[in-house]
Amino acid sequence: MDRPLRFVCRLGGVFRVLMENSAGGWLIECNGGPSPPFFEADLHKYERVPAPESWMSEQAMTPAQEARLQMIQPLLDCDDCIPDKSLRYKMAADAAQQYQTTTRRILRLYYRYLATGQLAQKRTQQTSKSNQMIERAIRRYYFGAKRLSLRSAYEMMLLEDYVGPDGQLDSDAPTWPQFRHYYYDHDIHKDPQKVIAREGLAKYQRDHRPAWGTSAGWRTQPGSYQMDATQADIYLVSRADRSVVVGRPYIYLAVDTATHLIAGVYVGYSCDETAVMACIEQAAMDKVGYCARYGIEITPEQWPSVGMPLEIITDQGREFFGPRMSELCRRYGLEVLTLPPFRPDCKGSVEKSIDLLQQRYKPMLRGRGVIEDDAQERWATDYRTQATLDLDDFARVVIHSVLYLNSGRLTDGKTPAERWLEMSPRLMTVDMEELHIQTLSRDTAKLTRKGIRINRIWYAPDDAEGLTIGDSYTIAYDPADLRRIHIILADKICPCHAVEIGQQVAACEVDAVYEATKRNREAARKKEMASSIAATQAIRSIVEHAVEHREPIRRVDGEQIKQDKLTERGQLT
């Protein structure tokens, strides 16, 4: 059966379109050896090309070719053989039995005719020996995990094929320009196999594979969040003691796939399941109230995302698959889509948002603890000594950067916030107090007469009804704010307040302050010991001096002692 001739260019090769429908089409390769057809979606993304030379040249059929055409004619007349592999093999087996040949030969003739319109393989002039050697050397030495340079591959070819037993180079050895020209003239440098062989399949899929369209087109409605994290390039100081450097914070982002809106953010010192839960909670809460905690006034249109997403897209990080995350997914029906490892390009929206976020604040915070590119070089500045901001200060900086990326940055004439408001988000409405308790970290502690001790801090229950001294309870707490914890009971939640701190302090800050206090205490103890030793030495010197001048004691009489005391006192005054 005659089919319309249409050819497209795919990955550098020419393919014939055999069948096409609304979902895609069936292609077959025209350049390589006989290969079966395969299905490809979105044919519109491939460029249409002219028909190959084999289809343009008209040649008279020989009797042998007419016999071959007769063998495969039943398969050519049946369109269902193209998509149906089992039917294709069955009809090929029947034809092979009828003409006393093999099924494999029937299929090869069928594939060749579909791809080239020919029934006999075109004979090409054999390449010269030198070209064969060059091709083999490139495939063997340059296309390899050792990643030899092209010049090294050329030298390996000479050593392997053109150096005799006497160590002399043959006169017919290809020159380096010939080797290099063959590599570029045959477009070997464009071969995807070069990157796969030298860098690995993951590198090719991430940085070199064709990527048509946009990532936003992956999801057509807001409510599918891509999540990822990074360690911020800045050192912070403690909120309890600004002379103590507590390290670098982590930033978690939840970015909507369809609109590129940053729907949730977490800034803190945790990089585990607690941080993921806090980012999801922040994504679900009202952003006006959240920003008000940091003294930032916004309108709902500037950050419009409120509600629990239906889907989270992330990599295979362990923090996304903990027991509390599983409990949250079961409770709210949240789906987690896992991407392959080492493929950040699959969640490009959140990766680029993290990059844009740091590019926004780093230039304005240089000299205030920001880590520069020369951090690992010799004689580089110790950026820890420049730390100025605490966690609250840095969180405000991040919030302002997020507000700019959401409602100030234009992409295709609109901001992400404007796109969000134009669409219909798929979000769940949840009880924020219940969600907050579920996202907190868990621990177990015993209630004593002094209270409960967690993270080196004592807590007292706001209401001790139902609590028994000596029993152990499940504790829920926020590592970023240790002013309050919660005792989880079967029928209620009992809040507890810290009795030692009066401001918001994170767990790592408590540890840093504790270590600093411990070092100060050790220094004070050394000073105390030195002072004690000095006092002991002075006392011993006084005693020794008194012993040297000691005289025999006369008869002791109580009345005489009183009289001598009065006399001594008079001499002192």
mmCIF file of all heavy atoms in Angstrom, residues 53-71:
data_model
loop_
_atom_site.group_PDB
_atom_site.id
_atom_site.type_symbol
_atom_site.label_atom_id
_atom_site.label_comp_id
_atom_site.label_asym_id
_atom_site.label_seq_id
_atom_site.Cartn_x
_atom_site.Cartn_y
_atom_site.Cartn_z
ATOM 1 N N GLU A 53 18.323 10.389 -0.880
ATOM 2 C CA GLU A 53 18.647 10.111 -2.272
ATOM 3 C C GLU A 53 18.038 8.801 -2.754
ATOM 4 O O GLU A 53 17.645 8.671 -3.918
ATOM 5 C CB GLU A 53 20.163 10.085 -2.445
ATOM 6 C CG GLU A 53 20.617 9.850 -3.875
ATOM 7 C CD GLU A 53 22.125 9.794 -3.984
ATOM 8 O OE1 GLU A 53 22.809 10.043 -2.963
ATOM 9 O OE2 GLU A 53 22.616 9.500 -5.086
ATOM 10 N N SER A 54 17.930 7.799 -1.870
ATOM 11 C CA SER A 54 17.406 6.498 -2.271
ATOM 12 C C SER A 54 15.954 6.577 -2.739
ATOM 13 O O SER A 54 15.499 5.765 -3.553
ATOM 14 C CB SER A 54 17.517 5.508 -1.100
ATOM 15 O OG SER A 54 16.760 5.974 0.002
ATOM 16 N N TRP A 55 15.222 7.582 -2.218
ATOM 17 C CA TRP A 55 13.824 7.734 -2.620
ATOM 18 C C TRP A 55 13.679 8.571 -3.893
ATOM 19 O O TRP A 55 12.651 8.533 -4.573
ATOM 20 C CB TRP A 55 13.026 8.394 -1.499
ATOM 21 C CG TRP A 55 12.778 7.475 -0.342
ATOM 22 C CD1 TRP A 55 13.515 7.365 0.784
ATOM 23 C CD2 TRP A 55 11.724 6.529 -0.219
ATOM 24 N NE1 TRP A 55 13.001 6.412 1.619
ATOM 25 C CE2 TRP A 55 11.876 5.875 1.020
ATOM 26 C CE3 TRP A 55 10.657 6.152 -1.032
ATOM 27 C CZ2 TRP A 55 11.018 4.891 1.473
ATOM 28 C CZ3 TRP A 55 9.796 5.159 -0.582
ATOM 29 C CH2 TRP A 55 9.983 4.539 0.651
ATOM 30 N N MET A 56 14.706 9.346 -4.232
ATOM 31 C CA MET A 56 14.629 10.219 -5.396
ATOM 32 C C MET A 56 15.030 9.511 -6.682
ATOM 33 O O MET A 56 14.543 9.821 -7.769
ATOM 34 C CB MET A 56 15.534 11.449 -5.187
ATOM 35 C CG MET A 56 15.197 12.254 -3.930
ATOM 36 S SD MET A 56 13.513 12.905 -3.946
ATOM 37 C CE MET A 56 13.642 14.053 -5.287
ATOM 38 N N SER A 57 15.945 8.554 -6.565
ATOM 39 C CA SER A 57 16.427 7.855 -7.767
ATOM 40 C C SER A 57 15.496 6.704 -8.121
ATOM 41 O O SER A 57 15.128 5.896 -7.268
ATOM 42 C CB SER A 57 17.854 7.332 -7.529
ATOM 43 O OG SER A 57 17.867 6.446 -6.431
ATOM 44 N N GLU A 58 15.112 6.622 -9.395
ATOM 45 C CA GLU A 58 14.236 5.556 -9.877
ATOM 46 C C GLU A 58 15.076 4.512 -10.612
ATOM 47 O O GLU A 58 15.846 4.830 -11.536
ATOM 48 C CB GLU A 58 13.178 6.114 -10.832
ATOM 49 C CG GLU A 58 12.237 7.097 -10.161
ATOM 50 C CD GLU A 58 11.165 7.600 -11.105
ATOM 51 O OE1 GLU A 58 11.153 7.156 -12.289
ATOM 52 O OE2 GLU A 58 10.340 8.411 -10.661
ATOM 53 N N GLN A 59 14.957 3.270 -10.192
ATOM 54 C CA GLN A 59 15.712 2.180 -10.781
ATOM 55 C C GLN A 59 14.747 1.061 -11.153
ATOM 56 O O GLN A 59 13.780 0.789 -10.426
ATOM 57 C CB GLN A 59 16.778 1.655 -9.804
ATOM 58 C CG GLN A 59 17.826 2.707 -9.436
ATOM 59 C CD GLN A 59 18.841 2.168 -8.450
ATOM 60 O OE1 GLN A 59 18.725 1.029 -8.011
ATOM 61 N NE2 GLN A 59 19.837 2.989 -8.139
ATOM 62 N N ALA A 60 15.062 0.404 -12.280
ATOM 63 C CA ALA A 60 14.227 -0.726 -12.708
ATOM 64 C C ALA A 60 14.472 -1.921 -11.813
ATOM 65 O O ALA A 60 15.604 -2.188 -11.398
ATOM 66 C CB ALA A 60 14.541 -1.078 -14.173
ATOM 67 N N MET A 61 13.397 -2.636 -11.504
ATOM 68 C CA MET A 61 13.499 -3.802 -10.628
ATOM 69 C C MET A 61 13.999 -5.011 -11.418
ATOM 70 O O MET A 61 13.553 -5.284 -12.535
ATOM 71 C CB MET A 61 12.133 -4.127 -10.004
ATOM 72 C CG MET A 61 11.811 -3.324 -8.786
ATOM 73 S SD MET A 61 10.440 -4.047 -7.865
ATOM 74 C CE MET A 61 10.367 -2.915 -6.511
ATOM 75 N N THR A 62 14.874 -5.720 -10.812
ATOM 76 C CA THR A 62 15.338 -6.981 -11.372
ATOM 77 C C THR A 62 14.362 -8.076 -10.973
ATOM 78 O O THR A 62 13.564 -7.907 -10.036
ATOM 79 C CB THR A 62 16.738 -7.294 -10.865
ATOM 80 O OG1 THR A 62 16.685 -7.469 -9.447
ATOM 81 C CG2 THR A 62 17.713 -6.159 -11.200
ATOM 82 N N PRO A 63 14.404 -9.221 -11.641
ATOM 83 C CA PRO A 63 13.531 -10.334 -11.233
ATOM 84 C C PRO A 63 13.731 -10.744 -9.784
ATOM 85 O O PRO A 63 12.768 -11.091 -9.093
ATOM 86 C CB PRO A 63 13.930 -11.448 -12.206
ATOM 87 C CG PRO A 63 14.427 -10.730 -13.419
ATOM 88 C CD PRO A 63 15.111 -9.498 -12.909
ATOM 89 N N ALA A 64 14.958 -10.677 -9.313
ATOM 90 C CA ALA A 64 15.215 -11.043 -7.910
ATOM 91 C C ALA A 64 14.528 -10.071 -6.957
ATOM 92 O O ALA A 64 13.969 -10.461 -5.917
ATOM 93 C CB ALA A 64 16.716 -11.085 -7.653
ATOM 94 N N GLN A 65 14.577 -8.775 -7.306
ATOM 95 C CA GLN A 65 13.936 -7.781 -6.449
ATOM 96 C C GLN A 65 12.417 -7.915 -6.492
ATOM 97 O O GLN A 65 11.741 -7.698 -5.484
ATOM 98 C CB GLN A 65 14.366 -6.379 -6.883
ATOM 99 C CG GLN A 65 15.847 -6.078 -6.628
ATOM 100 C CD GLN A 65 16.259 -4.728 -7.136
ATOM 101 O OE1 GLN A 65 15.482 -4.045 -7.812
ATOM 102 N NE2 GLN A 65 17.509 -4.333 -6.845
ATOM 103 N N GLU A 66 11.862 -8.251 -7.661
ATOM 104 C CA GLU A 66 10.427 -8.470 -7.730
ATOM 105 C C GLU A 66 10.001 -9.649 -6.861
ATOM 106 O O GLU A 66 8.928 -9.616 -6.223
ATOM 107 C CB GLU A 66 10.029 -8.714 -9.181
ATOM 108 C CG GLU A 66 10.158 -7.489 -10.068
ATOM 109 C CD GLU A 66 9.785 -7.767 -11.512
ATOM 110 O OE1 GLU A 66 9.539 -8.960 -11.820
ATOM 111 O OE2 GLU A 66 9.738 -6.817 -12.304
ATOM 112 N N ALA A 67 10.836 -10.684 -6.804
ATOM 113 C CA ALA A 67 10.531 -11.831 -5.942
ATOM 114 C C ALA A 67 10.547 -11.426 -4.473
ATOM 115 O O ALA A 67 9.719 -11.883 -3.678
ATOM 116 C CB ALA A 67 11.530 -12.959 -6.212
ATOM 117 N N ARG A 68 11.508 -10.575 -4.102
ATOM 118 C CA ARG A 68 11.583 -10.111 -2.713
ATOM 119 C C ARG A 68 10.376 -9.255 -2.364
ATOM 120 O O ARG A 68 9.826 -9.336 -1.254
ATOM 121 C CB ARG A 68 12.866 -9.309 -2.513
ATOM 122 C CG ARG A 68 14.133 -10.136 -2.625
ATOM 123 C CD ARG A 68 15.357 -9.253 -2.663
ATOM 124 N NE ARG A 68 16.568 -10.019 -2.884
ATOM 125 C CZ ARG A 68 17.746 -9.488 -3.189
ATOM 126 N NH1 ARG A 68 17.852 -8.163 -3.329
ATOM 127 N NH2 ARG A 68 18.797 -10.254 -3.370
ATOM 128 N N LEU A 69 9.944 -8.411 -3.324
ATOM 129 C CA LEU A 69 8.774 -7.571 -3.070
ATOM 130 C C LEU A 69 7.532 -8.435 -2.867
ATOM 131 O O LEU A 69 6.673 -8.118 -2.027
ATOM 132 C CB LEU A 69 8.575 -6.600 -4.231
ATOM 133 C CG LEU A 69 7.381 -5.643 -4.114
ATOM 134 C CD1 LEU A 69 7.517 -4.757 -2.877
ATOM 135 C CD2 LEU A 69 7.242 -4.790 -5.360
ATOM 136 N N GLN A 70 7.444 -9.524 -3.605
ATOM 137 C CA GLN A 70 6.297 -10.420 -3.457
ATOM 138 C C GLN A 70 6.285 -11.065 -2.077
ATOM 139 O O GLN A 70 5.221 -11.319 -1.501
ATOM 140 C CB GLN A 70 6.341 -11.480 -4.559
ATOM 141 C CG GLN A 70 5.095 -12.358 -4.622
ATOM 142 C CD GLN A 70 5.143 -13.324 -5.782
ATOM 143 O OE1 GLN A 70 6.107 -13.357 -6.545
ATOM 144 N NE2 GLN A 70 4.090 -14.120 -5.912
ATOM 145 N N MET A 71 7.471 -11.336 -1.529
ATOM 146 C CA MET A 71 7.548 -11.954 -0.200
ATOM 147 C C MET A 71 6.956 -11.043 0.881
ATOM 148 O O MET A 71 6.263 -11.498 1.796
ATOM 149 C CB MET A 71 9.008 -12.264 0.159
ATOM 150 C CG MET A 71 9.674 -13.344 -0.652
ATOM 151 S SD MET A 71 11.376 -13.569 -0.094
ATOM 152 C CE MET A 71 12.002 -14.718 -1.321
#
